[in-house]
Amino acid sequence: MLVETKAKVGVFSIALGAYLPQFPTLVPEFEAQYEAFKKTIPDTVELVDGGMVTTKELSMKAGDRFRAADVDLVILQLLTYATSYNMLPAIRDLNVPVVLVNVQKLKAPDYANTDTPKWLGELYACGAVGEMVADLERAGKRHAVITGVVEGGDDYVAAEIAQWCKAAQVRRRFRYTNIAQIGRPYPGMMDLYIDETNLYNRMGLYTKQFDWEKMWAIADHITDENAIRAKAEDILATFDIAPDKDGKAATVETVWDMAKYVVAFEEWVKEEELGMIASHYDGFARGIAGKLDSMLIPAFSMLIKQGTACAVEGDMKVAMAMSILKTIAGTGQLSEMYSIDFNEDICIIGHSGSGDADISQAKKPTMKIVDVFHGKTGGGYLTQFYPPVGAVTYLGITQDMNGKFKFVVAEGVNEDGPIFTFGDTNMRTRFSIGAREFCNRWSEAGPTHHMAAAVGRHIDTILKVAKIMDVPVDIVCR
């Protein structure tokens, strides 16, 4: 990614201190279990180690470490029964969920040969789960429980922990990158309008605002021809570019100016630490303004490819949705309802503008010149991406009358068949509830008219993102 972020996950374990002097063999047993557990945390996140906690004082020290690191999530391993004072001091001052991992060492007891220390040490992880949740509820803390077993491995536990760690990356990205707003939203699209202060207060995402005059001059200082040539070759490798009106194939020289702008935009993204960009230009498409406007779609597509979500029409909400999906799923494509094929009972979903090359798994992305960008100023290069057949997830972000954000999600299946050929990305998606009912339920959830799309099924991870971000979710269908 152009701007790298890595989630920080607080991890600690708890056990009742009174057991340890009574049964000294529990100390090395619990230490070994905790060390083994930490190795199950994916190395895609930074582990902040709170240690094995058996007293309130040790819990307070763990909390100090977690606060200093600004952890994005806390994962608590329950080793055996423990009182909640081993947990609460560590998380009292945090505003992130606590995932209680109730993982028993052995699959089942050997009833006749189990003594007290073996029961406490290898079979009693479940002893305090309910107590912990009860006190997390009373403290107003968000929480989740994962139950499983160590012996023989447990794919469910591994998958849940991996999803939580992916979800934690979203919080990190929102708090430690910025969103750029260039220009303003498309006039009259009031569903896209946003209060940037409310956005920062509720989602932790800071808005940096830029005028188009700066963008027009952004590449003026770029003179490194080797860097420009390398980026031009990258563009040619990313897109199949249609021949010009004289039938000449695209070359490095064809996309030279575009490449120069991409080099400049990449530098700008890094300097401003931009994880997301939302832009719209409604001026005259002539001179330097027309030049940049004509090539902005593929230029921003090159940024999306590198992890910075770029949304057209100034839609900051869909830029966030694209970033979330790119972070947790590896793909994030701007979309909207395009049409309904009632004969086939499928929805046609897509959008014009910049897109994610990583989602174009059915075919190499294409680029061609059009005279008019429909509904917008000017014309120029239009890109089309080709998502694969198979599972797809849609995520929309909207707000209620009080400004609180909400996620709207659905899963469906993209099917093979004819699509529009006028240059816009579009998918044929079948939903379990049918096209008509999907359109009804999705619309009734009150989304903006844009959504983001990702390959695969990701609602389970999105629900974890929502819990971390403290955002409600409407599930339309799965």
Side-chain angles (χ1 to χ4, degrees):
M1 288 188 171
L2 289 170
V3 182
E4 293 287 351
T5 52
K6 191 173 188 178
K8 294 186 178 183
V9 176
V11 179
F12 71 121
S13 64
I14 59 173
L16 186 67
Y19 293 153
L20 305 186
Q22 294 175 327
F23 306 103
T25 58
L26 290 178
V27 175
E29 174 64 38
F30 289 154
E31 289 174 345
Q33 286 188 37
Y34 181 53
E35 289 303 313
F37 176 70
K38 287 188 290 183
K39 293 176 182 177
T40 68
I41 306 300
D43 60 9
T44 52
V45 300
E46 180 181 334
L47 189 152
V48 179
D49 193 348
M52 192 174 84
V53 169
T54 57
T55 66
K56 178 178 77 72
E57 290 72 24
L58 287 173
S59 186
M60 292 174 69
K61 288 181 180 179
D64 290 342
R65 293 191 195 105
F66 297 159
R67 287 193 302 277
D70 184 26
V71 295
D72 303 290
L73 179 72
V74 172
I75 298 179
L76 168 59
Q77 180 196 24
L78 294 113
L79 294 165
T80 186
Y81 176 79
T83 55
S84 47
Y85 89 149
N86 294 110
M87 173 192 67
L88 282 175
I91 56 87
R92 188 189 65 177
D93 297 326
L94 302 176
N95 187 26
V96 296
V98 180
V99 180
L100 305 171
V101 181
N102 163 35
V103 181
Q104 184 170 289
K105 183 177 179 180
L106 301 179
K107 277 189 175 181
D110 178 355
Y111 296 96
N113 297 303
T114 297
D115 58 13
T116 300
K118 190 168 188 67
W119 164 59
L120 293 175
E122 302 180 49
L123 294 162
Y124 195 32
C126 61
V129 183
E131 176 178 339
M132 299 302 146
V133 172
D135 285 312
L136 287 168
E137 280 286 308
R138 293 172 69 190
K141 302 297 183 182
R142 304 187 297 285
H143 51 79
V145 175
I146 302 173
T147 296
V149 64
V150 175
E151 184 181 12
D154 194 322
D155 292 342
Y156 165 79
V157 172
E160 285 290 301
I161 290 174
Q163 286 181 7
W164 276 109
C165 289
K166 283 183 179 180
Q169 302 282 18
V170 173
R171 180 183 184 271
R172 203 75 189 173
R173 199 145 187 82
F174 273 51
R175 288 171 71 85
Y176 288 90
T177 69
N178 306 294
I179 184 168
Q181 183 182 54
I182 312 173
R184 49 164 172 69
Y186 191 105
M189 290 183 180
M190 297 178 71
D191 58 328
L192 311 187
Y193 296 178
I194 201 166
D195 176 339
E196 294 88 354
T197 303
N198 179 60
L199 172 63
Y200 182 69
N201 287 334
R202 291 187 182 273
M203 303 290 278
L205 182 61
Y206 181 72
T207 304
K208 291 191 171 185
Q209 294 164 327
F210 298 90
D211 292 323
W212 280 108
E213 285 81 359
K214 181 170 183 176
M215 299 299 106
W216 297 333
I218 199 168
D220 289 356
H221 70 289
I222 302 297
T223 58
D224 185 343
E225 293 196 356
N226 289 332
I228 298 170
R229 182 171 298 277
K231 191 54 59 179
E233 291 171 349
D234 188 13
I235 293 168
L236 293 175
T238 300
F239 293 97
D240 274 335
I241 304 176
D244 65 17
K245 60 184 179 181
D246 297 321
K248 294 181 180 179
T251 64
V252 164
E253 287 68 32
T254 307
V255 297
W256 186 267
D257 286 340
M258 184 189 301
K260 186 176 179 180
Y261 272 111
V262 174
V263 171
F265 280 128
E266 289 175 353
E267 181 182 280
W268 170 65
V269 164
K270 292 176 182 177
E271 287 177 354
E272 300 292 348
E273 297 185 305
L274 301 177
M276 292 151 255
I277 298 169
S279 65
H280 181 68
Y281 178 66
D282 196 39
F284 296 108
R286 56 179 179 236
I288 187 65
K291 180 180 179 180
L292 176 57
D293 189 53
S294 71
M295 60 186 67
L296 196 64
I297 287 173
F300 275 1
S301 295
M302 297 301 290
L303 300 185
I304 297 172
K305 177 182 174 182
Q306 300 175 84
T308 294
C310 300
V312 297
E313 298 172 357
D315 188 352
M316 295 168 69
K317 296 171 195 171
V318 82
M320 290 189 287
M322 292 166 68
S323 180
I324 289 170
L325 290 183
K326 187 72 171 176
T327 300
I328 68 172
T331 54
Q333 174 71 35
L334 190 148
S335 304
E336 67 180 28
M337 286 293 298
Y338 249 39
S339 186
I340 299 175
D341 186 330
F342 285 97
N343 289 334
E344 299 289 337
D345 195 29
I346 60 170
C347 295
I348 312 299
I349 299 176
H351 208 279
S352 61
S354 304
D356 184 4
D358 289 333
I359 206 171
S360 196
Q361 298 171 16
K363 180 181 174 182
K364 188 176 180 180
T366 55
M367 186 195 309
K368 67 179 181 180
I369 295 177
V370 296
D371 294 330
V372 175
F373 293 141
H374 70 268
K376 302 179 180 70
T377 295
Y381 285 101
L382 197 63
T383 56
Q384 184 166 358
F385 302 84
Y386 304 89
V389 169
V392 62
T393 298
Y394 293 105
L395 168 64
I397 298 181
T398 188
Q399 292 174 275
D400 65 14
M401 63 184 293
N402 298 312
K404 189 171 183 179
F405 290 90
K406 180 179 75 170
F407 293 167
V408 182
V409 295
E411 291 173 348
V413 176
N414 283 340
E415 296 187 351
D416 200 9
I419 58 173
F420 295 126
T421 59
F422 45 77
D424 292 354
T425 301
N426 53 111
M427 298 165 275
R428 298 164 54 87
T429 306
R430 184 175 302 281
F431 295 100
S432 60
I433 54 177
R436 187 194 307 269
E437 191 61 19
F438 169 78
C439 196
N440 290 345
R441 293 189 195 179
W442 182 270
S443 302
E444 283 290 337
T448 67
H449 71 281
H450 290 152
M451 62 186 91
V455 174
R457 296 187 180 274
H458 303 288
I459 285 181
D460 288 344
T461 305
I462 291 169
L463 291 172
K464 294 174 174 64
V465 173
K467 185 163 281 191
I468 290 173
M469 305 296 287
D470 198 15
V471 173
V473 184
D474 277 3
I475 300 175
V476 174
C477 62
R478 304 185 76 158

